[in-house]
Amino acid sequence: MAFSLALRSGRRGSAASLALAVAALLAGCAGVPLHPPAPATPPAPAGGPDIVAVPSAPGAALLRPRARWQPVDWSELPGWDGDRVLEAWSALNRSCERPSTGWAATCADALLNAPSDEASARAWLQSRLQPYRVESPEGAAEGLVTGYYEPLIDASRVPRGSYAVPLHRPPADLGVRKPYWTRQQLDTLPAAQAALRGREIAFVADPLDALVLQIQGSGRLRLTEPDGSLRTVRLAFAGHNDQPYKSVGRWLIERGEIRAEQASWPGIKAWARANPQRVQELLWSNPRVVFFREEPLPDPQLGPRGAQGVALTPGRSIAVDPQSIPYGTPVWLASTEPLSTQALQRLVVAQDTGSAIVGAVRADFFWGWGDQAEQQAGRMKQPLRLWVLWPRGPRS
């Protein structure tokens, strides 16, 4: 939690990207061409998203509901010898706190045999795991990677000056009214406004910053308390109003307000500055509202919890479609840096998902937090190839 803003609002307890935001803003207006489809494979087995079919013969593909995994040699992984794979070990260990089906024994082994250097880390991976190329059921092996990050926004505990845009905890009647009030109704109807009264966590100055937090699903607040003290807290996803997400970027494009190439977060903010009288109309075009809970930030070096329920690691965590890749799976990712031809080839771990992260070869790359993470995430929309690393089974 890639504008990958749009994608993040459906995430369960995850981080949020202005890159995601932009990807989300466009909600999939563009894509990466796929290879010509191959003959369809048989349907995936029943049993849920964490069940992988056992091959009937050595070298057979493993089937998942939305993907086919084709076994390959380690030599197929581009750049495998160039990554510092030991940097991904902390992310792998966090996933092993909540191991997926098929991972219990391998996770226990990883904890007992923690590598001390790059060579031992690479040797452990190659002896315990088998690489599989991820393909669509039709055989397409190329897809799309976007990026997301955790916003860091200035806020005030109480309304003061320009800090007048509230961020709310879930209202008490959220589970009673289905669907809940829309964004416009929450802003205009007395009964809807009454449901939010007293549920304010903090106030921000820019309504688009509030929208970023809601699309991303979580973020950090640099919070001014009533006594003037400053502290940083995290807002985590706590629910939404059960209304559909609508892209504000697409809304602007469809009305001829901006061109598609201008639908970046800076472009949308520039439009808002030039059209302050229409900002409310822009916001109301997206009826979905996200509610938060406040969490302490005991370790600022850890990211928010992803859908797997473990803290995300900057540069080593990705969001995936769990119908393609189970949470906790190590993944070799091959792409390029945003707006660059520089290779991005590294070991990451599938620990999160998002409502727009759908399909076999689809990932959202978690960049972390801060200005650089925001810039990288906001620009990322690259061709992608993926390989999962799956336990070989009991060793002799």
Side-chain angles (χ1 to χ4, degrees):
M1 346 358 309
F3 185 22
S4 281
L5 278 187
L7 315 184
R8 215 61 35 204
S9 57
R11 177 161 296 162
R12 185 180 54 197
S14 96
S17 89
L18 282 184
L20 272 187
V22 173
L25 288 178
L26 298 179
C29 290
V32 175
L34 300 177
H35 296 310
T41 57
D50 284 337
I51 300 301
V52 175
V54 177
S56 58
L62 304 187
L63 306 181
R64 292 191 50 78
R66 291 183 182 154
R68 181 176 67 191
W69 297 358
Q70 185 65 46
V72 299
D73 293 330
W74 286 94
S75 59
E76 179 175 305
L77 278 56
W80 169 248
D81 292 330
D83 184 37
R84 296 186 293 271
V85 295
L86 190 60
E87 292 181 0
W89 214 262
S90 61
L92 178 60
N93 281 343
R94 290 192 188 98
S95 282
C96 280
E97 297 169 6
R98 303 170 66 96
S100 297
T101 301
W103 273 93
T106 304
C107 278
D109 187 34
L111 295 173
L112 289 172
N113 298 285
S116 58
D117 54 32
E118 285 294 324
S120 58
R122 202 176 304 277
W124 186 95
L125 292 165
Q126 293 186 198
S127 65
R128 270 73 167 185
L129 306 179
Q130 166 66 44
Y132 294 84
R133 184 176 60 249
V134 180
E135 303 174 349
S136 73
E138 297 76 28
E142 187 172 282
L144 175 69
V145 60
T146 47
Y148 67 112
Y149 77 107
E150 188 176 22
L152 175 60
I153 296 173
D154 290 327
S156 173
R157 182 68 74 183
V158 297
R160 60 179 179 85
S162 61
Y163 291 90
V165 181
L167 303 168
H168 293 99
R169 294 186 295 274
D173 63 344
L174 183 61
V176 177
R177 175 184 287 272
K178 291 285 187 178
Y180 204 67
W181 306 103
T182 66
R183 183 182 298 274
Q184 182 173 356
Q185 289 170 333
L186 286 168
D187 285 342
T188 59
L189 296 182
Q193 292 174 316
L196 294 180
R197 196 166 297 126
R199 311 299 291 178
E200 300 89 354
I201 297 175
F203 298 81
V204 298
D206 188 341
L208 292 183
D209 284 343
L211 181 64
V212 166
L213 285 167
Q214 292 185 11
I215 294 174
Q216 294 292 75
S218 77
R220 300 182 183 203
L221 295 184
R222 195 159 39 213
L223 189 61
T224 301
E225 298 287 5
D227 63 2
S229 62
L230 292 173
R231 67 189 185 110
T232 302
V233 301
R234 173 172 283 135
L235 291 191
F237 178 89
H240 60 67
N241 61 346
D242 205 31
Q243 297 286 345
Y245 173 85
K246 300 292 184 181
S247 164
V248 296
R250 182 180 292 277
W251 185 85
L252 289 171
I253 293 170
E254 289 176 346
R255 281 152 186 77
E257 299 292 333
I258 61 175
R259 299 187 302 275
E261 61 270 22
Q262 297 174 307
S264 64
W265 199 234
I268 291 168
K269 283 198 164 187
W271 180 92
R273 287 192 297 270
N275 299 273
Q277 74 285 358
R278 298 190 62 194
V279 169
Q280 195 68 72
E281 182 185 2
L282 173 73
L283 295 172
W284 287 348
S285 71
N286 174 26
R288 172 166 290 188
V289 174
V290 168
F291 304 108
F292 301 99
R293 65 176 181 274
E294 181 179 333
E295 295 182 347
L297 197 63
D299 186 348
Q301 298 308 308
L302 292 181
R305 287 193 298 271
Q308 190 187 5
V310 301
L312 303 181
T313 302
R316 296 293 176 173
S317 296
I318 61 171
V320 297
D321 182 346
Q323 296 286 318
S324 172
I325 301 174
Y327 297 140
T329 304
V331 177
W332 185 253
L333 178 149
S335 184
T336 56
E337 296 275 358
L339 301 181
S340 169
T341 58
Q342 182 176 344
L344 179 64
Q345 298 168 342
R346 64 176 61 182
L347 181 64
V348 294
V349 184
Q351 296 176 318
D352 204 1
T353 193
S355 59
I357 310 303
V358 178
V361 191
R362 179 71 175 94
D364 219 5
F365 186 89
F366 180 62
W367 285 96
W369 45 87
D371 292 343
Q372 184 176 3
E374 176 182 340
Q375 293 169 12
Q376 291 290 81
R379 296 169 176 170
M380 193 172 200
K381 199 168 188 183
Q382 320 288 110
L384 172 70
R385 290 181 293 158
L386 295 175
W387 291 259
V388 295
L389 310 182
W390 195 255
R392 292 182 183 275
R395 293 184 299 149
S396 57

